[in-house]
Amino acid sequence: MVLRVDSAVAEPERAPLLEQVQNSYGGTFDSDSISTSSPTGTIVPRGAEPAKSIAEEEASLGDGETGAEEPGIGRSQVVKIIGVLLIGIFVGHADSSILLATHGIIASEFNSLENSTWLITSFTLAGAATQTMYGKLSDIYGRKPLVISAYIIFIIGCFIVGIGQTMGQVILGRVISGAGSAGMGALVSVLITDLLPIREVAQWRAYINLVATLGRSVGGPLGGWLADAIGWRWSFLGQVPVVGLSIVLCTIYLPSHAESLKEPEDPTVTRKSKFNRIDFKGSFVFAIMVLALLLPIELGGSQLPWTHPIILSLFALSALLLVLFIKIEQRAPEPILPLEIFHRRDAVLSFVILGLQTAAQLGLMFSVPIYFQITSKTSTSAAGAHLIPAVFGNAVGGLASGLLIKRSGRYKSLVLLAVVTSSLSYLLLMLRWHGNTNWLESLYILPSGLGTGIAQSALFISLQVVIDPAHMAPAISFMYLSTTVFITIGLPLSNAIMHAPLRWGLQNRLLALGMSGAEIRKIVARAISDLEYVGSTTGAVHKVIVASYVDGLWWSHGFSFLCSATALVLALLLKEKRLDTVRV
């Protein structure tokens, strides 16, 4: 919970997962008796110590050193609560990296390489449709039931992907996995803000990001190796027992407020009242709105011209649905997205900057494996390994920024550093990656990861210091949603930007070789749909295909640079608030 200095008396925010907790004397107290976190991060029951003024509390904080432990939830319990969720964090991010490294070979098996982005966009679209639901539902039903539900949905999707016999079935599995994955990450961040002082939030999120980075680092090479050795399906089927173990651990170790609440005489009425609080109408309209925006971006320029009536109609529909969504949320008793969140300029800037940064890096990570498979004829596993510098940069950036924020209480300069560093990375790729990339030049993607890692921690704090505590859970969920939406839009847009010059350049180069129209159409169709075909070509045909891919990927890197440069302009507009003026 965040209390500002100029506040009068603020009602403490509930932590629904921890509705009742065991104190150090063996008794219990419910969340109405939980005070704000102590400087140590311990949740203290009211009455455990004399009330202090804000000035006295700030003086006791000093330079960030903590005092004696208070009764309540100790640091070891916080570690246990968050620690059992790390398996899910690891697997969820490994899954994303696996898909980035293997989407080409998966789609090629179904002769649909040009549609390979749907393996990723279907996942992120499902996340966009369900992301904000987790924040509100966890406020209503508690964190634990929502965490377990997210895990179950995720493993059902992984199983469907593993046994899918058509591209449509595999995409369906990715949709289901995306709906589960949306809650696996967001709820951990909500829990951190429930339990910890604001100066420690960035540091603990950095630890979570480190586990996520490890998952992304392992996922790409592991997925590529499995695809080469025993088939890509085992990359997804193998996740099922691991997440199943995580469900068991969550069931055992995560506190459940539902077990400790005294049930009313008519439990059906209680369940119905809780159910009626859910903003299903707003969630449905928002999901359709995102789909209406995504489809024309995915189809435009590749399967339909941008001026086609279907493309224009879908864009218009998405705009109308946005207006309808706002009207619904204004009238909803408990909107899934309180519109007051968007009255805070720095909150909106934080959403957009992080979304642009994430879209830029994912566009890069989508293109890097393709680049090395095309230009160097590397295996799927070797191509996936080239993603490691970026995800390593994520870990270093997150850890460093978390520590700096805790010590200095400042975050805006870190946001500026993040976007400048990322922009430099994409500019280097545009200038130097032309088909003959040595090992040193392959490290140019590291600053991209470094910048994104810094931005994730710093922008989370930027959001937390300006949001009303009552809206913290939906605001955090929307921050995750904003990155999902930017990915959903940015990835197919990046893919379209790559394929348009690729197709045009390849046609012209093949025409210059004296080939007929029929031959050109056949080669172009196979070159953009099957990477194995590209590797099997030789001579002049192979050279023109590689040159055309390099041209297309140059434009893709340019798109990433444009996103990051835009984020830099927006970062200049942020107004920093020192964390020693904010009390948790």
Side-chain angles (χ1 to χ4, degrees):
M1 181 188 71
V2 177
L3 298 178
R4 290 168 184 79
V5 174
D6 56 357
S7 300
V9 177
E11 183 67 21
E13 181 185 14
R14 285 178 178 267
L17 173 64
L18 306 171
E19 194 76 21
Q20 286 193 343
V21 294
Q22 190 84 8
N23 68 24
S24 60
Y25 303 110
T28 61
F29 50 92
D30 62 29
S31 62
D32 285 335
S33 67
I34 295 178
S35 180
T36 55
S37 302
S38 74
T40 64
T42 302
I43 295 181
V44 184
R46 287 200 187 105
E49 62 176 357
K52 295 181 180 180
S53 69
I54 292 177
E56 290 172 331
E57 286 283 2
E58 289 179 353
S60 68
L61 283 172
D63 59 359
E65 295 298 325
T66 59
E69 288 287 332
E70 301 287 353
I73 296 182
R75 197 168 299 273
S76 63
Q77 289 173 280
V78 173
V79 171
K80 182 184 296 184
I81 291 168
I82 298 175
V84 297
L85 302 173
L86 293 182
I87 296 176
I89 293 292
F90 177 87
V91 173
H93 286 268
D95 174 88
S96 299
S97 184
I98 287 170
L99 206 283
L100 285 170
T102 61
H103 66 90
I105 194 170
I106 295 172
S108 295
E109 179 172 317
F110 302 107
N111 295 315
S112 188
L113 183 60
E114 69 276 13
N115 294 318
S116 66
T117 55
W118 275 103
L119 294 170
I120 301 172
T121 54
S122 61
F123 182 93
T124 54
L125 176 62
T130 58
Q131 187 78 72
T132 52
M133 290 287 289
Y134 282 102
K136 175 57 70 176
L137 287 175
S138 69
D139 281 342
I140 297 172
Y141 292 104
R143 311 289 193 232
K144 179 177 180 177
L146 268 295
V147 169
I148 293 175
S149 297
Y151 286 170
I152 292 173
I153 294 169
F154 180 79
I155 62 176
I156 290 173
C158 287
F159 182 75
I160 293 175
V161 171
I163 65 173
Q165 297 301 308
T166 67
M167 188 69 166
Q169 292 173 1
V170 173
I171 290 174
L172 174 63
R174 294 302 294 168
V175 169
I176 296 172
S177 293
S181 179
M184 292 168 65
L187 290 176
V188 177
S189 292
V190 173
L191 280 166
I192 290 175
T193 60
D194 286 342
L195 300 174
L196 295 168
I198 192 169
R199 277 186 180 252
E200 296 192 29
V201 167
Q203 185 177 7
W204 278 72
R205 272 184 53 85
Y207 298 148
I208 297 296
N209 287 340
L210 180 61
V211 174
T213 298
L214 181 61
R216 290 193 297 270
S217 300
V218 172
L222 178 61
W225 177 79
L226 288 173
D228 292 338
I230 58 176
W232 58 266
R233 298 178 186 276
W234 288 101
S235 298
F236 301 94
L237 292 174
Q239 297 178 50
V240 174
V242 179
V243 180
L245 172 62
S246 186
I247 292 174
V248 173
L249 293 176
C250 287
T251 302
I252 295 172
Y253 291 108
L254 265 65
S256 175
H257 79 278
E259 295 173 0
S260 60
L261 288 176
K262 181 180 178 180
E263 288 287 345
E265 293 181 2
D266 188 356
T268 303
V269 174
T270 300
R271 289 195 294 268
K272 183 178 180 180
S273 64
K274 289 182 177 180
F275 187 81
N276 289 337
R277 292 171 61 189
I278 303 172
D279 182 16
F280 287 112
K281 187 186 296 184
S283 300
F284 176 76
V285 170
F286 187 84
I288 301 301
M289 179 191 71
V290 173
L291 180 61
L293 182 62
L294 170 66
L295 282 174
I297 294 174
E298 179 68 22
L299 299 175
S302 57
Q303 300 181 38
L304 291 174
W306 289 105
T307 55
H308 194 282
I310 293 178
I311 300 295
L312 299 178
S313 297
L314 286 171
F315 277 131
L317 177 61
S318 67
L320 290 174
L321 288 173
L322 175 60
V323 174
L324 177 60
F325 174 73
I326 293 173
K327 294 293 184 182
I328 291 172
E329 296 303 276
Q330 287 174 335
R331 297 176 182 178
E334 290 193 51
I336 194 169
L337 272 180
L339 298 182
E340 291 86 349
I341 292 173
F342 304 100
H343 296 165
R344 302 279 186 171
R345 190 190 69 166
D346 280 8
V348 175
L349 288 173
S350 299
F351 295 144
V352 177
I353 293 169
L354 185 58
L356 288 169
Q357 280 289 98
T358 306
Q361 189 185 16
L362 191 63
L364 176 144
M365 297 184 74
F366 175 82
S367 65
V368 165
I370 294 177
Y371 176 84
F372 284 102
Q373 285 176 287
I374 292 294
T375 61
S376 304
K377 294 186 177 181
T378 58
S379 65
T380 306
S381 58
H386 280 286
L387 296 174
I388 291 177
V391 293
F392 175 77
N394 282 154
V396 173
L399 287 172
S401 59
L403 291 172
L404 288 171
I405 290 171
K406 182 178 180 180
R407 293 180 180 179
S408 69
R410 296 187 177 276
Y411 53 88
K412 180 177 178 178
S413 58
L414 291 173
V415 176
L416 292 172
L417 175 63
V419 292
V420 168
T421 302
S422 296
S423 299
L424 176 63
S425 179
Y426 306 127
L427 184 60
L428 285 172
L429 298 186
M430 296 173 69
L431 294 175
R432 300 297 301 167
W433 279 26
H434 298 306
N436 298 304
T437 303
N438 58 42
W439 71 269
L440 185 60
E441 291 176 327
S442 71
L443 298 180
Y444 287 167
I445 67 172
L446 190 151
S448 164
L450 185 68
T452 302
I454 294 171
Q456 287 172 343
S457 295
L459 290 168
F460 189 85
I461 299 300
S462 174
L463 172 69
Q464 195 176 353
V465 298
V466 297
I467 290 296
D468 186 332
H471 300 152
M472 189 59 68
I476 292 172
S477 292
F478 188 79
M479 173 163 268
Y480 277 83
L481 174 61
S482 66
T483 61
T484 300
V485 170
F486 272 89
I487 291 169
T488 304
I489 298 172
L491 189 57
L493 185 57
S494 176
N495 186 59
I497 290 172
M498 181 190 79
H499 274 89
L502 164 60
R503 186 188 295 269
W504 179 82
L506 184 54
Q507 288 174 343
N508 288 339
R509 287 183 172 95
L510 291 173
L511 184 63
L513 293 178
M515 292 188 174
S516 65
E519 288 178 310
I520 291 174
R521 287 191 294 272
K522 180 180 178 180
I523 293 174
V524 170
R526 295 198 63 185
I528 66 174
S529 63
D530 189 349
L531 294 179
E532 291 186 1
Y533 169 76
V534 176
S536 67
T537 58
T538 58
V541 171
H542 180 73
K543 290 181 179 179
V544 299
I545 292 176
V546 171
S548 299
Y549 261 98
V550 170
D551 287 349
L553 290 167
W554 185 91
W555 285 99
S556 177
H557 301 325
F559 171 76
S560 294
F561 175 76
L562 179 62
C563 288
S564 195
T566 303
L568 173 58
V569 174
L570 296 178
L572 294 171
L573 302 177
L574 282 174
K575 292 183 178 179
E576 184 170 54
K577 294 188 177 183
R578 285 187 59 88
L579 300 190
D580 55 14
T581 66
V582 181
R583 180 173 172 243
V584 182

